[in-house]
Every structure is written in C-alpha cells, then in structure tokens.
Amino acid sequence: MASSTDSDSALRPESTLMKSFVGVADIKKGYEGVDRDKIARTVYEASKDSLYFNHQQKRDQALTEKCNALIERKRCMEESDTSSQLRHADKVVARLKDNRDLSQSTVHIDCDAFYASVEQNDRPELKDVPFAVGDTVVAACNYIARKTGCRAGMVIAVAKKMCPNLTIVKPNHDRYREVMAKICQLMQKYDPGYEICGTDEAYLNITKYCGEFDVKPWDVVESLRKAIRHETGIAVAAGIAANIQLAKISSTFIKPDGQYQLPSEPDIIMAFVKDLPVRKVTGVGYTLDRQLASIGVATCEDIFSQRQFLRDLFGDRLFEFLLEVYLGCGRTELRATLEQQKKSASIERTFKETSALDIIERNLRTVCEDVETKLKELNRAGQTLTVKVKMNDFESYSKQTKLPRAISSAHDIFQHSLPFVKATLVDKPHQVCRLLGVRLTQLASKDYTLGAAFHRMVQKSKNSDPEYLPWAREKGRSMPAGKRKLGGNVENRELAPRKKTSNFATKSPARNSVATPQSPNEMVRCPICDQNQPPDNVSFNQHLDFCLSLSEIQRYS
DNA sequence: GCGGATCAC
DNA sequence: TATGGTGATCCGC
C-alpha cells in the first residue's frame, strides 16, 4: 500500500492517481479518441509541486486503502457460507421486480454544453474556435476544445496548456438562467410538475399529457425539442423511458442532439442496462466506481453476479440502490420545481490565502452578509449553523451547531460563526486559511422569526390600532426612524440596519421565564404585549423574546 | 445531533 | 499562473 506513493508508480498511466486527473473526460461525450494519457500527464506536470497535488495524492491513497479493505473482506466472505446473503439478495430482487412500475412515460432533457451553447449563440465569432466558459476553473467548453482534452473542472491555466489557443469566456449566469427560464416555460405545457436538476437538465412525466391528447411520447418530445431549438437556439438531447434514471441514461446515449426512447418492457430494459458501466449511472461517482471495480463490479450485470457480497460491504441503502440499478428501477414521480422548498442556504468563498485574523474576519463578515441576503430571498431563517474552514493544504474542517432559535441576520450568523473560525485557526497554527463557508439548515418560515413578527406588528399598528405597540402605548412614541420603512415594504424584510439594534437579537433575554401552555388548542396571552399568541412552545418563546427585546429597542431609539 | 464524505451539476 | 460553489444525502458515531 505504501508503495503506491512511489513517484514512478504514481506516474504510470494506469495508476489511480493519473486516472483521477482524467476526471469526467473519462465518461463525457466529446472525448472519444482523445488521448487520455496526455490529459493526465499535462495535469500532472502542471500540478505536481503544489499543495493541491499532495492533497489529491492523500485522498487517492485513502481510497486505495479502502478498496483493499473491501477486497479483503470479500475474500473472507468467499471463504465462508454466503448462501443466506444470496437468498436475501434474491428476495429483494423479487420484491423490486414486483413493485416495478413501467406504466409511466418520463423524459430527461439535457441541454448540450449549455453554457457554451448559450455563449456561442450570443457571440457567433466563437463558433469555430476552441473556447471555455469559466472563471479560474472551466465550467463548460465546446466540442472543439474537448478534442484537445480541455474538460469541465480543469483549472484554466492547465486547460490553456492543453489547448494554447483556447479562448476564455467569463460566465454570465443571469443569461443562462434567462435561457433556462424560457425552456421551463416550454416544458410547462407538457408537464407543469417538471423537475429541474441543476442548471441545464430537467425531468418531465408526460404520461398524463399523452393520455389526454392521445399523442405518443416520441412525438411530444420531438415537438418540445423543436420548440426549445426554435425559441432559444439550444440543442437538447432527450431520453424517454419508464423512469427518470433510465431516461437520463437514454439521453446520454443520444447526446449531444437527438432523442432516444427505451421501450418499457422488462427484457428490453434489462438488456439495455446489462453491459452499461456502473459509472454511467447517476449516483455512482468516481469513488464508488473504484470501490465497485475493486470487487469485480464494472457493469450493471456484474451487480447481480456479486449480489451476495454487496449488503455486507456497502450497507443496506447502497445495496438496494445497486439492485435497482441492475433491474433498471427508478423514480417516476417528480418533485415539482415550482413547489420545492429549499432545505439549506449556504455561501462559501475562496480567497487569497491568509493567516491575518482581521482579513479572515472581514471575509467571514462578507460571507455572512451574503447568507443573509439569500435567506431573505427565501424568506427563511435557519436554526442549524454549519461553519466550514478550508486551509492552505486543502484540508477542511467544519462545525455544525443547533441554535436555540432560527437566525437570519448577518450579524447573528457572524457572531455564532466567528468563535469556530478562531478556534480552528488556533488549532492549526501553522496553516493558512483559503476558504470560509457558512450554511444554515433547518430552515423555518420567517413568519416565526423576530423580524417577521416585528413586521406583522408594525402592519397591525398601522392598519388598526396605532397604540398597539407596547412602547407606543406607554410613552406615545412613534416607530424608530430606522425601522419605519419596514411597514410599507411588500416583502418581509428583516430588521436593518443593524447598528442601533445590535443587542436586539444577540443578547437574548431570559427565554424560559414564563410557563408555556399545556393545551394545544388554546391561544395564550403574552404577559407583555397582552396579545393572544399561538400556543406552541417554540413560537411562543420566540414571541416572548421579541416582546422583551422591544423594550431594548425602545431604550436605544 | 455532529462531522466527514460523496455526488451531481 | 495555479484547483469552484451550491444543495442534498448518507454513514458512522
């Protein structure tokens, strides 16, 4: 194992490290006939002395060890009796077969080299030159560039080495969103419950549409593709199959342009999947592919022949997933994009490496402000905070904490994040920081956060009883000047600016001073503002915090 | 609940 | 001239 780090063996074209440099060029369209060794060598030469290389090497070695452990465990199993595992696997196969639903028509739409296509349409002069869209890292490149080995994920400096006359185009995300919105508009006609996946892919279930208008899936997809082509100039590949996993594979079959329909018959599906490399299946990435390969699973058919080992080696979830892959099972219900609600909001940013605390603090503050902006757009606040710090050596550390209540202001996020960042820096004294990230999860509707409660109260006081606010009642004051605009805004904005109200949310007053109601159906009267409140613990305590802090605001305004 | 990993795009 | 950002999920503890 240790010998795998020897420089000569690592340099061999077949070494796993070199394979990792080839990256997605291994499986993507446009790289047929491209010299993979050349890609690997160029990447290697360009990065061999960097800290990034060391990190990659470390990861590669860890994965190699994991694979060796799998091989060893499989050998142990082979020496013992695996008949019960085999029986179990067959039982699961039978169950999955029984539950298989082949009645639906699902479609996968895949925009060809999306960013590159959009740019090429907007700037015809790019048509005949190799170019890549990206900013330090290639996000997408056209087919001319792919021929030279340029690929997504490659550092632009390296891509230029592979392709000296490569033109670089800065990404224009607003424009891509605009084009995608147009495409969505067209898809809506066939399935309003369509599901967007990333920036350039989508799934549809057109079963209902086909039934209603008595049309064939093939024809529906043909007109959809034509419409997209006509309206946006983008070529799309489409796969039609019984579920979205199969539809996706089908579309990559026909890429970059065209459509492919996989008949919904068990035998045909199984034959279609049989020789497919598992790496082509969504959900099987680089690492899982290597682990599977180490125990003799390269194609979907191999999953079946090794089925008695998979549960012990990979766990229940993965075991069942793999059997589904073998059978060609998949999802047919879509998660409608229009109704989907986000589960997290995060920002992470790489910057010029530094160990200066003041700069790091400034960067953290910026990150927190951007998270605040994002939460505002979602009208959400998050109760679980995750802070991430990546060091110079590309090792990253994260800390997750569940907060006593949901937060959303940059100030609050910053206050909670800073201690962890500081602790990490102290922990790794010789290291330099290169990235900071902040994520909020457990997103709660902003209706139950302080800012929104404030907003509602202001609305109420404006619309009905001007004497409603406690401080107004007591002292006859109007709204603090800085907050006045809140009342008139359409969107639920959070309290801003921060300065005057800094202890509004940070210093949280005693939260457990009042007994909470027992009966779930009764409203409960707040002892401070005298208004009825919803009876559940969480929102009641939040309301209480809020009312208590109003007196603070009053003091400072 | 927490931390690390993986995966997709 | 030098390795991204966002969101989701899973595993093991």
Side-chain angles (χ1 to χ4, degrees), chain A residues 57-308:
Chain A
Q57 201 168 30
K58 220 180 275 175
R59 284 190 51 181
D60 179 72
Q61 199 182 337
L63 182 55
T64 303
E65 276 163 28
K66 202 170 172 185
C67 289
N68 289 335
L70 283 174
I71 293 169
E72 182 55 30
R73 280 172 64 194
K74 188 189 168 190
R75 188 157 49 219
C76 286
M77 286 183 75
E78 279 170 326
E79 281 166 13
S80 64
D81 178 22
T82 56
S83 57
S84 78
Q85 284 95 332
L86 195 63
R87 270 199 310 278
H88 178 259
D90 286 335
K91 233 168 66 186
V92 175
V93 168
R95 168 167 58 81
L96 292 173
K97 263 187 184 169
D98 281 349
N99 295 341
R100 193 157 44 172
D101 175 9
L102 300 178
S103 68
Q104 302 294 298
S105 293
T106 67
V107 181
H108 179 244
I109 296 288
D110 192 327
C111 302
D112 174 50
F114 186 52
Y115 294 178
S117 299
V118 173
E119 295 298 341
Q120 195 166 303
N121 286 343
D122 292 354
R123 301 166 54 176
E125 73 273 15
L126 291 171
K127 203 174 164 72
D128 299 313
V129 301
F131 78 95
V133 182
D135 199 12
T136 74
V137 167
V138 175
C141 56
N142 66 353
Y143 281 76
I144 305 175
R146 289 184 193 192
K147 287 235 156 50
T148 68
C150 170
R151 65 160 170 86
M154 205 174 243
V155 179
I156 285 180
V158 176
K160 275 190 163 161
K161 270 191 183 155
M162 309 229 20
C163 179
N165 56 343
L166 187 72
T167 300
I168 305 299
V169 178
K170 291 256 181 272
N172 186 353
H173 293 285
D174 287 342
R175 177 78 183 117
Y176 310 143
R177 264 192 288 274
E178 199 179 293
V179 176
M180 193 56 192
K182 227 181 240 173
I183 294 176
C184 289
Q185 209 179 317
L186 296 168
M187 293 191 302
Q188 187 136 17
K189 173 178 166 192
Y190 303 104
D191 178 13
Y194 67 86
E195 175 176 336
I196 297 228
C197 182
T199 47
D200 64 339
E201 292 181 28
Y203 294 106
L204 291 84
N205 185 330
I206 56 171
T207 316
K208 197 172 161 210
Y209 184 89
C210 289
E212 241 166 59
F213 296 93
D214 192 28
V215 280
K216 297 237 179 310
W218 179 269
D219 298 328
V220 169
V221 171
E222 201 160 54
S223 23
L224 173 60
R225 287 181 46 244
K226 238 179 228 163
I228 293 174
R229 186 71 184 251
H230 182 254
E231 295 283 323
T232 67
I234 302 292
V236 301
I240 310 164
N243 59 59
I244 64 173
Q245 273 83 0
L246 291 175
K248 169 138 184 155
I249 297 169
S250 299
S251 76
T252 62
F253 237 64
I254 200 78
K255 257 176 157 181
D257 189 5
Q259 59 188 67
Y260 182 93
Q261 179 165 16
L262 177 67
S264 297
E265 291 165 38
D267 292 348
I268 297 181
I269 292 173
M270 298 282 286
F272 175 78
V273 160
K274 185 169 163 280
D275 295 320
L276 195 72
V278 285
R279 180 68 176 93
K280 303 246 182 188
V281 176
T282 312
V284 181
Y286 176 80
T287 47
L288 182 55
D289 181 46
R290 268 195 57 192
Q291 292 175 57
L292 287 169
S294 73
I295 59 149
V297 175
T299 68
C300 294
E301 196 184 29
D302 297 334
I303 294 171
F304 185 72
S305 63
Q306 305 294 320
R307 64 194 182 286
Q308 68 267 42

Side-chain angles (χ1 to χ4, degrees), chain A residues 368-380:
Chain A
C368 293
E369 281 161 7
D370 291 348
V371 172
E372 179 193 79
T373 306
K374 200 168 269 195
L375 286 168
K376 265 184 194 163
E377 283 163 11
L378 296 170
N379 193 30
R380 292 278 192 283

Side-chain angles (χ1 to χ4, degrees), chain A residues 253-407:
Chain A
F253 237 64
I254 200 78
K255 257 176 157 181
D257 189 5
Q259 59 188 67
Y260 182 93
Q261 179 165 16
L262 177 67
S264 297
E265 291 165 38
D267 292 348
I268 297 181
I269 292 173
M270 298 282 286
F272 175 78
V273 160
K274 185 169 163 280
D275 295 320
L276 195 72
V278 285
R279 180 68 176 93
K280 303 246 182 188
V281 176
T282 312
V284 181
Y286 176 80
T287 47
L288 182 55
D289 181 46
R290 268 195 57 192
Q291 292 175 57
L292 287 169
S294 73
I295 59 149
V297 175
T299 68
C300 294
E301 196 184 29
D302 297 334
I303 294 171
F304 185 72
S305 63
Q306 305 294 320
R307 64 194 182 286
Q308 68 267 42
F309 305 111
L310 300 178
R311 189 154 95 123
D312 286 24
L313 296 181
F314 295 106
D316 259 322
R317 278 314 261 258
L318 214 42
F319 167 68
E320 195 148 324
F321 167 74
L322 289 169
L323 289 182
E324 281 174 1
V325 168
Y326 161 70
L327 289 169
C329 299
R331 242 173 66 203
T332 57
E333 324 80 36
L334 306 184
R335 290 184 276 242
T337 298
L338 297 176
E339 296 159 22
Q340 256 187 83
Q341 46 177 341
K342 290 231 159 88
K343 295 180 175 165
S344 73
S346 69
I347 295 285
E348 53 188 62
R349 202 147 291 156
T350 300
F351 42 83
K352 191 169 145 57
E353 56 191 46
T354 180
S355 49
L357 191 60
D358 55 332
I359 298 179
I360 291 174
E361 267 195 50
R362 208 189 319 139
N363 288 333
L364 181 64
R365 196 166 263 124
T366 311
V367 166
C368 293
E369 281 161 7
D370 291 348
V371 172
E372 179 193 79
T373 306
K374 200 168 269 195
L375 286 168
K376 265 184 194 163
E377 283 163 11
L378 296 170
N379 193 30
R380 292 278 192 283
Q383 202 175 354
T384 299
L385 173 72
T386 308
V387 183
K388 175 174 165 185
V389 176
K390 196 197 278 184
M391 297 302 197
N392 208 14
D393 62 356
F394 291 88
E395 212 62 54
S396 58
Y397 308 88
S398 70
K399 177 151 191 71
Q400 182 185 341
T401 37
K402 181 160 178 155
L403 306 170
R405 65 158 184 247
I407 61 172

